[in-house]
Amino acid sequence: MNRRLATLLLLAALPFASLAAPKAATGPAPEPGVDYVEIPGGKPFSTPAGKIEVVEVFGYTCPHCAHFEPLISKWKATLPADVNFVPLAAPWGGYWTPYAQAFYTAQSLKLLPKTHEAVFKALHEDKSLPIQNASAQEIAGFYAKYGADAGTFAATMTGKTTEQAMKRATDFIMASGIEGTPGMVVAGKYRITTQKGFDDMLRVADHLIARERAKAKR
């Protein structure tokens, strides 16, 4: 095999190697009771066997979540194949409700990859969507820009499938003890509680993921 061909084959293999390689945790090990708490009887929300689940609980109308989104978007893109990232919109009533309904509707219609970041931008940067008093028709009109049928989207927002998704999310959020957003739960067992900022939340998550991976190997 000539040198040029060998180099090309090596470069072609690199993306697959990086996908498979576990991400090393950095910084000090998290302190229980400070950086995280264990959830009594905690279980993952929805993750295949052999995967380590990371749940992010957020709200589109939450300004803190909007600030967190670029960081967590970049972070989740580096996660290896054994980690399953699960976003959950918190259905906490009031003006949170229609945008939580929109999230679960977009999820069921497979529109999230195109719309998730766009909704944050529309609410907090462009102000093209109202944070309060948004109607289903108004929100559906926004999603129509990304391929949704506005009538179907609005109907699905208040339909049974979305209602069931909202209840399931609420049950998990309450069982996990999350009272604010953004919130993170790792493996259904650990609620991240660090108060040192968003970067530190991800540091703690990396350590807890590594801990679960090590347990699985044992």
mmCIF file of all heavy atoms in Angstrom, residues 7 10 16 31 42 51 61 71 73 93 95 113 118 121 128 136 152 156-157 162 170 175 179 200 205 212 214 218:
data_model
loop_
_atom_site.group_PDB
_atom_site.id
_atom_site.type_symbol
_atom_site.label_atom_id
_atom_site.label_comp_id
_atom_site.label_asym_id
_atom_site.label_seq_id
_atom_site.Cartn_x
_atom_site.Cartn_y
_atom_site.Cartn_z
ATOM 1 N N THR A 7 -2.493 7.155 4.098
ATOM 2 C CA THR A 7 -2.881 8.390 4.782
ATOM 3 C C THR A 7 -4.362 8.671 4.598
ATOM 4 O O THR A 7 -5.070 9.045 5.535
ATOM 5 C CB THR A 7 -2.061 9.572 4.243
ATOM 6 O OG1 THR A 7 -0.675 9.303 4.452
ATOM 7 C CG2 THR A 7 -2.437 10.869 4.959
ATOM 8 N N LEU A 10 -6.415 6.403 6.779
ATOM 9 C CA LEU A 10 -6.334 6.812 8.172
ATOM 10 C C LEU A 10 -7.243 8.003 8.442
ATOM 11 O O LEU A 10 -7.990 8.035 9.420
ATOM 12 C CB LEU A 10 -4.886 7.166 8.528
ATOM 13 C CG LEU A 10 -4.645 7.701 9.956
ATOM 14 C CD1 LEU A 10 -5.065 6.659 10.989
ATOM 15 C CD2 LEU A 10 -3.188 8.083 10.143
ATOM 16 N N PHE A 16 -14.905 8.133 12.617
ATOM 17 C CA PHE A 16 -15.528 7.003 13.309
ATOM 18 C C PHE A 16 -14.850 6.763 14.649
ATOM 19 O O PHE A 16 -15.493 6.445 15.634
ATOM 20 C CB PHE A 16 -15.444 5.759 12.424
ATOM 21 C CG PHE A 16 -16.187 5.915 11.132
ATOM 22 C CD1 PHE A 16 -15.514 6.231 9.963
ATOM 23 C CD2 PHE A 16 -17.560 5.776 11.092
ATOM 24 C CE1 PHE A 16 -16.210 6.399 8.775
ATOM 25 C CE2 PHE A 16 -18.259 5.931 9.906
ATOM 26 C CZ PHE A 16 -17.582 6.245 8.741
ATOM 27 N N GLU A 31 -18.694 17.048 43.960
ATOM 28 C CA GLU A 31 -18.939 16.746 45.367
ATOM 29 C C GLU A 31 -20.421 16.463 45.589
ATOM 30 O O GLU A 31 -21.273 17.302 45.271
ATOM 31 C CB GLU A 31 -18.497 17.927 46.230
ATOM 32 C CG GLU A 31 -18.631 17.682 47.712
ATOM 33 C CD GLU A 31 -18.151 18.866 48.526
ATOM 34 O OE1 GLU A 31 -17.529 19.788 47.964
ATOM 35 O OE2 GLU A 31 -18.429 18.870 49.755
ATOM 36 N N GLY A 42 -34.482 6.887 41.500
ATOM 37 C CA GLY A 42 -34.491 7.532 40.189
ATOM 38 C C GLY A 42 -34.303 6.554 39.043
ATOM 39 O O GLY A 42 -33.545 5.594 39.147
ATOM 40 N N LYS A 51 -27.134 2.452 27.204
ATOM 41 C CA LYS A 51 -26.881 3.877 26.984
ATOM 42 C C LYS A 51 -26.939 4.628 28.316
ATOM 43 O O LYS A 51 -27.674 4.253 29.228
ATOM 44 C CB LYS A 51 -27.929 4.471 26.042
ATOM 45 C CG LYS A 51 -27.956 3.851 24.655
ATOM 46 C CD LYS A 51 -27.036 4.594 23.722
ATOM 47 C CE LYS A 51 -27.248 4.134 22.278
ATOM 48 N NZ LYS A 51 -26.414 4.902 21.339
ATOM 49 N N THR A 61 -39.262 29.750 26.901
ATOM 50 C CA THR A 61 -39.447 31.120 27.366
ATOM 51 C C THR A 61 -38.471 31.517 28.467
ATOM 52 O O THR A 61 -38.448 32.681 28.875
ATOM 53 C CB THR A 61 -40.886 31.313 27.880
ATOM 54 O OG1 THR A 61 -41.159 30.355 28.903
ATOM 55 C CG2 THR A 61 -41.900 31.147 26.748
ATOM 56 N N LEU A 71 -24.199 26.620 24.554
ATOM 57 C CA LEU A 71 -23.212 25.791 25.243
ATOM 58 C C LEU A 71 -23.588 24.314 25.177
ATOM 59 O O LEU A 71 -22.754 23.461 24.856
ATOM 60 C CB LEU A 71 -23.095 26.227 26.713
ATOM 61 C CG LEU A 71 -22.416 27.558 26.996
ATOM 62 C CD1 LEU A 71 -22.505 27.879 28.477
ATOM 63 C CD2 LEU A 71 -20.957 27.516 26.556
ATOM 64 N N SER A 73 -25.647 22.850 23.167
ATOM 65 C CA SER A 73 -25.680 22.376 21.787
ATOM 66 C C SER A 73 -24.288 21.945 21.331
ATOM 67 O O SER A 73 -24.115 20.894 20.704
ATOM 68 C CB SER A 73 -26.223 23.481 20.877
ATOM 69 O OG SER A 73 -26.262 23.049 19.545
ATOM 70 N N GLY A 93 -47.119 25.398 33.186
ATOM 71 C CA GLY A 93 -48.299 26.243 33.235
ATOM 72 C C GLY A 93 -48.046 27.656 32.730
ATOM 73 O O GLY A 93 -46.911 28.046 32.437
ATOM 74 N N TYR A 95 -47.569 30.857 30.560
ATOM 75 C CA TYR A 95 -46.997 31.036 29.227
ATOM 76 C C TYR A 95 -45.958 29.973 28.864
ATOM 77 O O TYR A 95 -45.505 29.924 27.726
ATOM 78 C CB TYR A 95 -46.410 32.444 29.065
ATOM 79 C CG TYR A 95 -45.320 32.829 30.050
ATOM 80 C CD1 TYR A 95 -44.005 32.422 29.867
ATOM 81 C CD2 TYR A 95 -45.617 33.644 31.146
ATOM 82 C CE1 TYR A 95 -43.006 32.797 30.749
ATOM 83 C CE2 TYR A 95 -44.625 34.021 32.041
ATOM 84 C CZ TYR A 95 -43.322 33.604 31.838
ATOM 85 O OH TYR A 95 -42.341 33.973 32.716
ATOM 86 N N PRO A 113 -34.902 19.081 14.842
ATOM 87 C CA PRO A 113 -33.575 19.474 14.354
ATOM 88 C C PRO A 113 -33.568 20.814 13.630
ATOM 89 O O PRO A 113 -32.592 21.552 13.685
ATOM 90 C CB PRO A 113 -33.196 18.323 13.407
ATOM 91 C CG PRO A 113 -33.966 17.149 13.911
ATOM 92 C CD PRO A 113 -35.268 17.715 14.389
ATOM 93 N N ALA A 118 -34.105 27.724 16.517
ATOM 94 C CA ALA A 118 -34.847 28.827 15.903
ATOM 95 C C ALA A 118 -35.907 29.399 16.847
ATOM 96 O O ALA A 118 -36.163 30.613 16.838
ATOM 97 C CB ALA A 118 -35.502 28.355 14.612
ATOM 98 N N LYS A 121 -34.226 31.677 19.315
ATOM 99 C CA LYS A 121 -33.838 32.913 18.645
ATOM 100 C C LYS A 121 -35.052 33.817 18.421
ATOM 101 O O LYS A 121 -34.983 35.033 18.636
ATOM 102 C CB LYS A 121 -33.176 32.590 17.307
ATOM 103 C CG LYS A 121 -32.562 33.778 16.577
ATOM 104 C CD LYS A 121 -31.771 33.290 15.363
ATOM 105 C CE LYS A 121 -31.036 34.448 14.691
ATOM 106 N NZ LYS A 121 -31.947 35.407 14.044
ATOM 107 N N SER A 128 -39.714 37.782 17.375
ATOM 108 C CA SER A 128 -40.759 37.529 16.371
ATOM 109 C C SER A 128 -41.850 36.615 16.904
ATOM 110 O O SER A 128 -42.892 36.439 16.259
ATOM 111 C CB SER A 128 -40.140 36.932 15.100
ATOM 112 O OG SER A 128 -39.399 35.769 15.388
ATOM 113 N N ALA A 136 -51.980 29.051 19.807
ATOM 114 C CA ALA A 136 -51.530 27.880 19.053
ATOM 115 C C ALA A 136 -51.390 28.219 17.572
ATOM 116 O O ALA A 136 -50.458 27.758 16.900
ATOM 117 C CB ALA A 136 -52.515 26.723 19.245
ATOM 118 N N THR A 152 -52.410 21.337 11.008
ATOM 119 C CA THR A 152 -52.058 20.084 11.690
ATOM 120 C C THR A 152 -51.262 20.365 12.948
ATOM 121 O O THR A 152 -51.486 19.749 14.004
ATOM 122 C CB THR A 152 -51.244 19.178 10.750
ATOM 123 O OG1 THR A 152 -52.030 18.868 9.603
ATOM 124 C CG2 THR A 152 -50.825 17.893 11.443
ATOM 125 N N THR A 156 -52.398 19.434 16.727
ATOM 126 C CA THR A 156 -51.578 18.472 17.477
ATOM 127 C C THR A 156 -51.127 19.060 18.808
ATOM 128 O O THR A 156 -50.971 18.334 19.800
ATOM 129 C CB THR A 156 -50.357 18.042 16.641
ATOM 130 O OG1 THR A 156 -50.808 17.557 15.378
ATOM 131 C CG2 THR A 156 -49.562 16.941 17.332
ATOM 132 N N MET A 157 -50.913 20.361 18.855
ATOM 133 C CA MET A 157 -50.498 21.012 20.103
ATOM 134 C C MET A 157 -51.465 20.725 21.248
ATOM 135 O O MET A 157 -51.043 20.572 22.401
ATOM 136 C CB MET A 157 -50.362 22.524 19.897
ATOM 137 C CG MET A 157 -49.070 22.961 19.260
ATOM 138 S SD MET A 157 -48.977 24.774 19.052
ATOM 139 C CE MET A 157 -49.011 25.346 20.758
ATOM 140 N N THR A 162 -49.890 14.929 22.441
ATOM 141 C CA THR A 162 -49.107 15.966 23.116
ATOM 142 C C THR A 162 -49.432 16.018 24.597
ATOM 143 O O THR A 162 -48.537 16.167 25.440
ATOM 144 C CB THR A 162 -49.367 17.329 22.460
ATOM 145 O OG1 THR A 162 -48.991 17.261 21.086
ATOM 146 C CG2 THR A 162 -48.567 18.422 23.141
ATOM 147 N N THR A 170 -43.841 15.781 32.892
ATOM 148 C CA THR A 170 -44.118 16.337 34.215
ATOM 149 C C THR A 170 -43.827 15.329 35.309
ATOM 150 O O THR A 170 -43.224 15.660 36.338
ATOM 151 C CB THR A 170 -45.588 16.795 34.307
ATOM 152 O OG1 THR A 170 -45.823 17.817 33.338
ATOM 153 C CG2 THR A 170 -45.917 17.333 35.682
ATOM 154 N N ALA A 175 -40.505 13.731 39.806
ATOM 155 C CA ALA A 175 -39.805 12.634 40.474
ATOM 156 C C ALA A 175 -38.316 12.938 40.638
ATOM 157 O O ALA A 175 -37.685 12.483 41.601
ATOM 158 C CB ALA A 175 -39.992 11.336 39.692
ATOM 159 N N GLU A 179 -36.727 21.916 40.075
ATOM 160 C CA GLU A 179 -37.612 23.033 40.388
ATOM 161 C C GLU A 179 -37.292 24.285 39.584
ATOM 162 O O GLU A 179 -37.947 25.315 39.747
ATOM 163 C CB GLU A 179 -37.535 23.351 41.889
ATOM 164 C CG GLU A 179 -38.012 22.187 42.760
ATOM 165 C CD GLU A 179 -37.904 22.488 44.241
ATOM 166 O OE1 GLU A 179 -37.190 23.453 44.600
ATOM 167 O OE2 GLU A 179 -38.529 21.761 45.037
ATOM 168 N N ASP A 200 -19.956 24.744 34.538
ATOM 169 C CA ASP A 200 -19.754 23.792 35.622
ATOM 170 C C ASP A 200 -20.801 22.696 35.599
ATOM 171 O O ASP A 200 -20.523 21.552 35.980
ATOM 172 C CB ASP A 200 -19.761 24.503 36.981
ATOM 173 C CG ASP A 200 -18.966 23.725 38.024
ATOM 174 O OD1 ASP A 200 -17.776 23.454 37.762
ATOM 175 O OD2 ASP A 200 -19.536 23.387 39.075
ATOM 176 N N ALA A 205 -21.678 16.968 34.657
ATOM 177 C CA ALA A 205 -22.302 15.953 33.803
ATOM 178 C C ALA A 205 -21.249 15.016 33.217
ATOM 179 O O ALA A 205 -21.437 13.796 33.195
ATOM 180 C CB ALA A 205 -23.095 16.623 32.685
ATOM 181 N N GLU A 212 -20.825 6.454 35.398
ATOM 182 C CA GLU A 212 -21.756 5.424 34.944
ATOM 183 C C GLU A 212 -21.111 4.481 33.935
ATOM 184 O O GLU A 212 -21.366 3.279 33.935
ATOM 185 C CB GLU A 212 -23.002 6.075 34.333
ATOM 186 C CG GLU A 212 -23.912 6.719 35.352
ATOM 187 C CD GLU A 212 -24.406 5.724 36.379
ATOM 188 O OE1 GLU A 212 -25.123 4.771 35.996
ATOM 189 O OE2 GLU A 212 -24.064 5.875 37.576
ATOM 190 N N ALA A 214 -17.933 3.674 33.840
ATOM 191 C CA ALA A 214 -17.036 2.797 34.596
ATOM 192 C C ALA A 214 -17.809 1.716 35.327
ATOM 193 O O ALA A 214 -17.388 0.555 35.393
ATOM 194 C CB ALA A 214 -16.212 3.637 35.586
ATOM 195 N N ARG A 218 -17.612 -2.547 34.949
ATOM 196 C CA ARG A 218 -17.383 -3.470 36.063
ATOM 197 C C ARG A 218 -18.464 -4.538 36.129
ATOM 198 O O ARG A 218 -18.262 -5.622 36.621
ATOM 199 C CB ARG A 218 -17.328 -2.704 37.389
ATOM 200 C CG ARG A 218 -16.088 -1.818 37.529
ATOM 201 C CD ARG A 218 -15.872 -1.452 38.985
ATOM 202 N NE ARG A 218 -16.975 -0.647 39.516
ATOM 203 C CZ ARG A 218 -17.010 0.682 39.492
ATOM 204 N NH1 ARG A 218 -16.028 1.354 38.942
ATOM 205 N NH2 ARG A 218 -18.029 1.338 39.994
#
